[in-house]
């Protein structure tokens, strides 16, 4: 495996254990019709770390996030999970993608719950079809996860009968059901009014406390400051600034970051 | 079979295609104004106007076009109206066409915002002027692509006139086949002629309705 | 000719019309599956084949299809009964239309559903059968019922090659009795009357399925 690593572990300082990231993007480029939506970005997330990505719309932050589970195929660059390439080379095989996505869970801005299935069935489907769990075991796990996100009573209810905040919490439970090592959140509260967003953020906070590695694209500056360990500001397809959330938010170094934060706080 | 032979068969069929196109022109001449009239009728607030219009539309769409042709050709003589096969086919198909396209016209008229009519009234225009000079020109842009689609479908439906012995494309192919016994060649060639007219026009209609939808959302 | 007499002579064709319509619809719905899958395939060649099939089946009038199959194929000593030739022809045609209905159904499912299925590491097959297909069905049912009613009327062309359906019976009766007006009004009414319960069933089934799966919140 090491032979295919462009930066092998030996390039690290001698004697230290290789500080492999739980999830790492290396030199990611995503091109749409000649336009570089993500322009040579590298980003690592340590195990148990919560990394928030902020930036204006069109900055490439969601596109970058989606390369972590290859929902967006990068034009070039690699994704590593636990220091291991998720895709050997070239076009990923179906098996590689499935293995990657079992390790990397994802929640979407628009929830994308399956409308024809109940909350419990939504959470059971991939357990049964992708992990091969029995229906009984999958249902037990679904009920346990629904309880964890505070929605045990909604097990047999269709998503359309749930509020947006409840739907997103079901979506989080659905992703957790595959026991992922990393969770991706693509603007999980952007489609929700503040009150409903708060219940989703509470679940995410709890998840962070349990040590889940999380990569969160968000507009919630408070969440970014309180919960995230690391903050990344992206604009025009590149990382403009990153570091400790409080220092980036309170003492931004780059003009572009200042301009963005001013626009956000002035609203 | 040689190329010369195909060319000859093709040329033999052309008069039939001409009759089919004549039928199409005739059914459109009847069906387009009737369709517009029915659209106005089914949108009318007056029940005496609306109910008959709805009845014509429902019957025209619910009854097979072939049965309408038979009704006009074999049924109407009892009421004292005896028609030749060609006009009978045009009327039967024209009524059927109008029933389907009344919905297109209605949707087109409705798509013009109410504010346009109000603006016309505010400018002191009469109802007729508003409809003719303000509403219709805007509605036309929306109805033309779907009407083209329906016209293609009814060009194909002129093949039903075979049943009334109108010497259109299919009849021509069939009659020639009974003399030269090249059934498959003659009929396939006729099929290709229908498709050759219909497919490009269908693609054009679909393309222009997509472009139209785009320009409206833009 | 009196009304009951006219009706009973026309009614003798209802069975054939039903056979033609139902068989052609069922066969068409089956043939349409590979056609629709080809039409939405990622492979350009398959898309071209699927698209061409749809264009050709819809570009040639139904009656011409039936003539090619009934008279044309007899040149190769392939002989169908007029009912069988009609079922073959109408099935080929309806497959083209139903394939487009399937495609509309698939397109009605938001792309986020597909993405969610992928993110949950569902296989392509599982994502289609468990996520996309059940939702597409909700859009397909009302369109399919409307097409079924269209096919019921299209099946009248089978009478031209000799199938003894409602229209053929009406034509024969009108020639016997010289009372075409009554007979063809009655024949039209029979088609209308058959389509009413079918349309009602379509609305009921559509509402039932939409409610069961609560797809549109």
């Amino acid at each position: 495996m090491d032979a295919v690593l462009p930066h092998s572990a030996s390039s690290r300082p001698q004697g230290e254990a290789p500080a492999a990231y739980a999830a790492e993007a290396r030199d990611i480029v995503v091109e749409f019709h000649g336009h570089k939506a993500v322009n040579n970005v590298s980003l690592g997330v340590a195990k148990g770390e919560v990394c928030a990505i902020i930036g204006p719309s069109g900055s490439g932050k969601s596109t970058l996030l989606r390369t972590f589970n290859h929902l967006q195929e990068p034009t070039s660059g690699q994704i590593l999970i636990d220091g291991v390439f998720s895709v050997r080379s070239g076009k990923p095989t179906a098996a590689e993608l499935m293995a990657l996505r079992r390790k990397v869970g994802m929640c979407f801005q628009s929830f994308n719950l399956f409308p024809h299935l109940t909350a419990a069935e939504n959470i059971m489907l991939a357990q049964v079809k992708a992990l091969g769990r029995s229906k009984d075991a999958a249902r037990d796990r679904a009920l346990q996860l629904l309880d964890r996100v505070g929605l045990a009573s909604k097990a047999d209810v269709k998503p359309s009968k749930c509020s947006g905040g409840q739907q997103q919490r079901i979506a989080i439970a659905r992703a957790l059901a595959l026991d992922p090592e990393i969770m991706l959140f693509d603007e999980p509260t952007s489609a929700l009014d503040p009150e409903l967003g708060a219940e989703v953020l509470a679940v995410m906070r709890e998840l962070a406390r349990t040590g889940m590695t999380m990569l969160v694209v968000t507009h919630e500056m408070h969440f970014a400051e309180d919960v995230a360990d690391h903050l990344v500001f992206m604009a025009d397809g590149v990382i403009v600034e990153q570091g400790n959330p409080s220092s980036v938010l309170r003492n931004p170094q780059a003009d572009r970051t200042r301009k963005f934060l001013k626009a956000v706080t002035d609203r | 079979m040689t190329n010369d032979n195909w060319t000859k068969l093709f040329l033999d069929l052309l008069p039939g295609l001409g009759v089919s196109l004549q039928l199409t022109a005739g059914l459109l001449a009847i069906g387009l104004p009737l369709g517009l009239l029915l659209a106005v009728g089914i949108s009318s607030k007056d029940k005496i106007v609306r109910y008959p219009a709805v009845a014509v539309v429902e019957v025209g769409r619910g009854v097979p076009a072939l049965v309408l042709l038979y009704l006009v050709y074999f049924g109407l003589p009892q009421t004292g109206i005896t028609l030749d096969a060609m006009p009978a086919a045009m009327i039967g198909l024209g009524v059927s066409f109008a029933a389907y396209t009344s919905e297109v016209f209605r949707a087109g008229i409705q798509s013009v915002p109410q504010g346009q009519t109000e603006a016309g009234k505010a400018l002191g225009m009469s109802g007729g002027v508003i409809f003719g000079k303000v509403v219709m020109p805007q509605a036309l842009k929306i109805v033309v692509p779907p009407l083209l689609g329906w016209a293609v479908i009814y060009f194909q439906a002129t093949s039903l006139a075979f049943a009334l012995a109108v010497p259109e494309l299919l009849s021509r192919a069939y009659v020639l086949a009974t003399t030269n016994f090249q059934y498959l060649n003659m009929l396939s060639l006729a099929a290709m002629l229908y498709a050759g007219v219909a497919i490009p026009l269908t693609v054009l209609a679909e393309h222009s309705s997509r472009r139209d939808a785009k320009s409206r959302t833009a | 000719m009196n009304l009951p007499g006219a009706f009973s002579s026309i009614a003798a064709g209802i069975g054939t019309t039903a056979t033609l319509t139902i068989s052609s619809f069922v066969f068409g719905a089956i043939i349409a599956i590979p056609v629709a899958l080809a039409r939405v395939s990622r492979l350009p060649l398959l898309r071209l084949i699927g698209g061409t099939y749809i264009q050709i089946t819809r570009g040639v009038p139904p009656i011409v299809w039936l003539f090619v199959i009934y008279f044309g194929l007899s040149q190769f000593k392939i002989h169908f009964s007029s009912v069988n030739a009609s079922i073959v022809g109408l099935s080929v045609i309806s497959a083209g239309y139903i394939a487009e209905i399937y495609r509309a159904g698939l397109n009605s499912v938001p792309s986020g559903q597909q993405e969610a299925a992928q993110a949950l590491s569902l296989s392509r097959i599982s994502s289609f059968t468990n996520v996309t297909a059940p939702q597409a069905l909700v859009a397909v049912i009302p369109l399919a019922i409307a097409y079924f009613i269209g096919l019921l009327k299209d099946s009248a062309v089978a009478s031209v090659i000799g199938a003894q359906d409602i229209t053929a019976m009406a034509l024969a009766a009108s020639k016997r009795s010289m009372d075409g007006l009554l007979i063809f009004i009655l024949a039209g009414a029979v088609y209308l009357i058959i389509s009413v319960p079918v349309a009602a069933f379509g609305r009921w089934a559509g509402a039932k399925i939409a409610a069961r799966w609560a797809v549109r919140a």
Side-chain angles (χ1 to χ4, degrees), chain B residues 61-62 78 100 156 159 183-184, chain C residues 58-59 75 153 179-181:
Chain B
R61 299 204 298 194
Q78 273 173 272
Y100 279 100
Q156 298 180 314
S159 55
Y183 281 95
L184 189 64
Chain C
R58 308 207 302 187
Q75 203 178 319
K153 290 178 288 160
D179 193 354
L181 192 63

Side-chain angles (χ1 to χ4, degrees), chain A residues 23-60:
Chain A
E24 184 186 355
R26 271 193 201 161
D27 311 321
I28 294 290
V29 175
V30 181
E31 257 187 57
F32 296 125
H33 311 293
H35 166 73
K36 286 190 170 126
V38 177
N39 194 355
N40 204 23
V41 169
S42 295
L43 175 65
V45 189
K47 193 162 175 51
E49 191 179 57
V50 176
C51 174
I53 307 177
I54 59 170
S57 56
S59 60

Side-chain angles (χ1 to χ4, degrees), chain B:
Chain B
M1 201 151 92
T2 63
N3 275 340
D4 284 355
N5 205 341
W6 277 111
T7 314
K8 186 182 171 304
L9 294 185
F10 177 76
L11 291 175
D12 280 347
L13 283 179
L14 278 184
L17 180 61
V19 174
S20 293
L21 291 172
Q22 257 176 282
L23 279 170
T24 310
L27 80 89
L28 290 178
I30 295 164
L32 283 171
L34 185 59
L36 180 58
L37 206 63
L38 288 172
V40 174
I42 53 179
S43 321
S44 168
K45 292 187 190 77
D46 190 347
K47 282 180 189 167
I48 298 167
V49 178
R50 192 170 72 239
Y51 286 171
V54 170
V56 172
V57 169
E58 290 300 324
V59 169
R61 299 204 298 194
V63 174
L66 182 59
V67 174
L68 288 179
L69 293 194
Y70 285 150
L71 182 62
V72 173
Y73 192 59
F74 296 117
L76 280 191
Q78 273 173 272
T79 64
I81 307 166
T82 303
L83 295 165
D84 284 341
M86 188 93 171
M90 286 174 182
I91 292 170
L93 292 170
V95 169
S96 174
F97 177 87
Y100 279 100
T101 52
S102 62
E103 193 50 45
V104 174
F105 282 115
R106 198 182 63 86
I109 294 166
Q110 273 193 351
S111 72
V112 179
Q114 190 64 38
Q116 295 291 310
T117 311
E118 284 170 6
K121 282 181 189 157
L123 293 169
M125 297 179 184
S126 71
V129 172
I130 293 172
F131 187 76
K133 296 283 176 191
V134 178
V135 176
M136 263 324 270
Q138 299 185 55
L140 266 182
K141 261 181 71 176
I142 289 160
V143 300
V144 164
L147 284 183
L148 178 58
W150 281 110
V152 174
I153 291 171
Y154 275 82
F155 159 71
Q156 298 180 314
T158 59
S159 55
L160 295 174
F162 172 91
L164 305 188
V166 174
E168 45 68 67
L169 180 51
L170 177 64
S171 314
R172 180 100 187 152
Y174 181 74
V175 168
L176 288 172
T178 56
T179 57
N180 65 14
F181 299 105
Q182 300 183 2
Y183 281 95
L184 189 64
N185 295 335
M186 291 312 299
L187 292 167
S188 305
L189 201 57
M192 281 186 260
L193 279 173
Y194 280 110
V197 174
I199 292 177
L201 288 173
T202 306
V203 171
L204 178 71
E206 282 169 2
H207 180 77
S208 57
S209 72
R210 257 202 305 277
R211 199 188 46 202
D212 194 44
K214 246 183 216 162
S215 74
R216 261 181 292 152
T217 52

